[in-house]
Amino acid sequence: MTALEIAAAVRAGERSAVDVLNEHLARIDDRDGELNAFNVVTADAARAEAEGVDAAVAAGDDPGPLAGVPLALKDNMCTRGIPTTCSSKILEGWQPPYDATVVTRLRAAGAVAVGKTNLDEFAMGSSTENSAFGPTRNPLDISRVPGGSSGGTAASVAANFTPLGIGSDTGGSIRQPAAFCGVVGMKPTYGVVSRYGLIAFASSLDQIGPFANSVADAAAMFDVIAGPDPLDSTSIRDYSPDASAVLDRGVDGLRVGVIRELSGGEGSVDGLSADVLARTNEAVEVLRAAGAIVSEVSVPSATLGLSAYYLVAPAEASSNLARYDGVRYGLRVDAPTTGEMNTASRTAGFGPEVKRRIMLGTYALSAGYYDAFYGKALKVRTMMLRDFAQAYENVDVLVTPTAPTTAFRLGERTADPMTMYVNDVCTIPSNLTGHPGISVPFGVGDDGMPVGVQVLAPALGDELTFQVAAVLEATASGGVS
Ligand code: GLN
């Protein structure tokens, strides 16, 4: 059943939220030993929430548009009184004193949070192998990674542990795992979803967004979490989208662009695999057949995105992660002086990728290097904004692969960080610009694993990304090829 079907049945009193929950908890019990999608399952709290939903229905109240739908929360979303770890040892034992805004909104809409999902430590990674609690496995093939950093949430949705999941996306962490697991994942425009209660990685890039098994479910969830929040000063004030309302509008007359630099052809970045490019081209043809006007556009700075991102993101992370000092949160390793205690706690608490990013970021921000590294990366970011603005003078949306390849095998890319970083080449531009992007499953690669196609739009084009994705989904599931 889809999330919307569950919610309709629960609201109509045809199914109890408690039954729905038990069914999903049983699946988690059965299979999460193998997949490791969850850091913690909060069965008792979930039962209490589900009972509340059933009580509301019995009393004749409307429990909300996501009534009784089980939900997975990436473990970097603050949940009051429930451990929130970022899959890091440094937050060991820490329980937030408040809920993230998305958690509050989803609960108010009737969704039932069943637990916290695994991620690359502090969301740094593309495979969930950087978790301090062991990797998550891809439900479609357990020898493969689910992608990352929101790998636990993607796996939970793909394995039908929960119809809905919440992730965060700083450089692709919603869209890439969605692609690897064959589900829908969407990164909203920066500022459309409140970041209050999201543990910061790189604050100017982070956005929260939905995971689901269908575009309509993802849109319903997006509609609940989007909108202004006084608790997040970067939240956009006058935008309360209704993506669910536009899903059947089609693409007749819509101008669709293909980015030359991400198309595999001349002038393109390397490493985009042939099967992924073939599915992406088929997706573009589907849109053309549905009435879209297709053209090629150039976004020259797209080739510089990776370099800029891997300076901006670590720079912001090195500052954001300075707060984990052994005093205020989680782990403390005692030592004779405060300075030694700080060092010992951080040395024991952070894993190798997080330490690498802190060092890279600190270096990029140091006096004498600031202009050469961080300053330059900011210039690339500005160039990218200009390049996309120019592209969007001629097209309404852009279509690219979500990730260069399908899901790779565990251990395949852990030896060299660069092989992991290149995963993000197609997703990073929209984090640097703040634009929205969605990944929708579209066929499979040569290895039989799902391929995700990405639809990008200008700032506040969030609804449009869902509208186009709905057309692709209808064809992909109708089996066009
Ligand atoms: N893979 C990217 C990184 O490691 C993106 C992570 C993310 O979006 N949180 O930084």
Side-chain angles (χ1 to χ4, degrees):
M1 270 175 119
T2 68
L4 286 169
E5 283 163 1
I6 290 173
V10 168
R11 288 166 105 175
E14 290 156 13
R15 289 206 65 186
S16 96
V18 171
D19 281 352
V20 171
L21 172 67
N22 287 337
E23 189 183 296
H24 288 83
L25 288 175
R27 277 190 212 134
I28 297 174
D29 248 14
D30 261 5
R31 217 185 158 202
D32 203 38
E34 173 180 69
L35 299 182
N36 198 29
F38 281 92
N39 287 343
V40 62
V41 175
T42 49
D44 291 342
R47 277 209 185 87
E49 279 183 33
E51 280 163 11
V53 169
D54 287 336
V57 175
D61 298 333
D62 183 0
L66 302 178
V69 180
L71 164 75
L73 298 170
K74 187 177 184 179
D75 203 12
N76 60 353
M77 308 287 156
C78 285
T79 42
R80 187 180 162 157
I82 295 167
T84 297
T85 68
C86 289
S87 289
S88 178
K89 283 191 280 194
I90 206 145
L91 281 170
E92 198 165 73
W94 181 64
Q95 297 188 0
Y98 62 94
D99 282 322
T101 293
V102 289
V103 174
T104 308
R105 287 196 181 167
L106 287 163
R107 189 175 294 136
V112 174
V114 305
K116 309 293 291 287
T117 57
N118 201 6
L119 61 147
D120 287 296
E121 186 177 1
F122 282 100
M124 298 175 189
S126 301
S127 68
T128 318
E129 291 169 294
N130 294 336
S131 165
F133 310 134
T136 297
R137 289 170 183 273
N138 191 314
L140 305 174
D141 174 352
I142 60 164
S143 72
R144 293 175 192 270
V145 302
S149 63
S150 313
T153 294
S156 176
V157 172
N160 240 320
F161 290 166
T162 57
L164 297 179
I166 274 284
S168 64
D169 190 312
T170 305
S173 278
I174 292 174
R175 292 161 286 163
Q176 183 258 20
F180 278 18
C181 291
V183 302
V184 177
M186 192 266 180
K187 182 200 90 77
T189 301
Y190 185 81
V192 163
V193 175
S194 169
R195 288 181 296 114
Y196 180 74
L198 165 66
I199 297 180
F201 163 9
S203 309
S204 78
L205 305 164
D206 299 340
Q207 260 297 281
I208 296 175
F211 278 91
N213 280 308
S214 73
V215 174
D217 281 0
M221 186 176 185
F222 169 75
D223 291 340
V224 166
I225 59 175
D229 178 13
L231 297 174
D232 174 357
S233 60
T234 63
S235 148
I236 294 169
R237 283 202 203 139
D238 302 314
Y239 184 60
S240 295
D242 186 357
S244 304
V246 306
L247 297 181
D248 56 4
R249 289 199 188 161
V251 294
D252 194 20
L254 199 76
R255 297 168 307 163
V256 173
V258 174
I259 302 179
R260 181 176 312 141
E261 289 76 9
L262 299 176
S263 69
E266 212 182 300
S268 167
V269 298
D270 296 329
L272 306 175
S273 71
D275 51 354
V276 170
L277 287 169
R279 294 301 91 75
T280 310
N281 291 338
E282 285 159 23
V284 170
E285 288 316 311
V286 161
L287 298 177
R288 194 200 300 272
I293 304 145
V294 177
S295 61
E296 188 180 80
V297 300
S298 178
V299 180
S301 52
T303 57
L304 305 173
L306 271 181
S307 316
Y309 172 86
Y310 279 96
L311 287 164
V312 172
E316 294 187 21
S318 69
S319 159
N320 274 324
L321 271 59
R323 66 180 61 125
Y324 307 107
D325 54 4
V327 177
R328 284 170 291 186
Y329 312 91
L331 185 85
R332 171 181 302 177
V333 177
D334 282 320
T337 67
T338 306
E340 287 166 306
M341 182 276 290
N342 295 153
T343 305
S345 301
R346 289 168 68 81
T347 302
F350 290 134
E353 183 61 26
V354 173
K355 286 176 181 157
R356 183 178 297 125
R357 305 273 181 120
I358 292 173
M359 287 188 279
L360 279 171
T362 305
Y363 185 82
L365 291 174
S366 338
Y369 297 104
Y370 186 98
D371 288 341
F373 294 109
Y374 185 68
K376 259 225 173 91
L378 290 186
K379 285 183 184 154
V380 170
R381 202 170 180 178
T382 304
M383 274 166 57
M384 202 171 259
L385 274 163
R386 284 193 203 135
D387 286 354
F388 273 98
Q390 207 157 37
Y392 286 125
E393 281 176 13
N394 301 314
V395 297
D396 302 304
V397 295
L398 294 162
V399 174
T400 77
T402 302
T405 65
T406 56
F408 45 91
R409 292 188 195 281
L410 270 89
E412 203 178 295
R413 301 198 184 191
T414 41
D416 174 6
M418 277 308 288
T419 62
M420 201 62 93
Y421 296 173
V422 297
N423 266 287
D424 309 326
V425 68
C426 298
T427 44
I428 271 174
S430 42
N431 296 89
L432 289 168
T433 59
H435 295 168
I438 194 167
S439 178
V440 59
F442 199 86
V444 296
D446 295 343
D447 52 10
M449 293 302 287
V451 170
V453 166
Q454 180 176 233
V455 180
L456 303 174
L460 303 185
D462 302 60
E463 292 171 340
L464 196 52
T465 66
F466 284 102
Q467 184 181 325
V468 176
V471 172
L472 293 176
E473 175 185 60
T475 314
S477 46
V480 72
S481 53

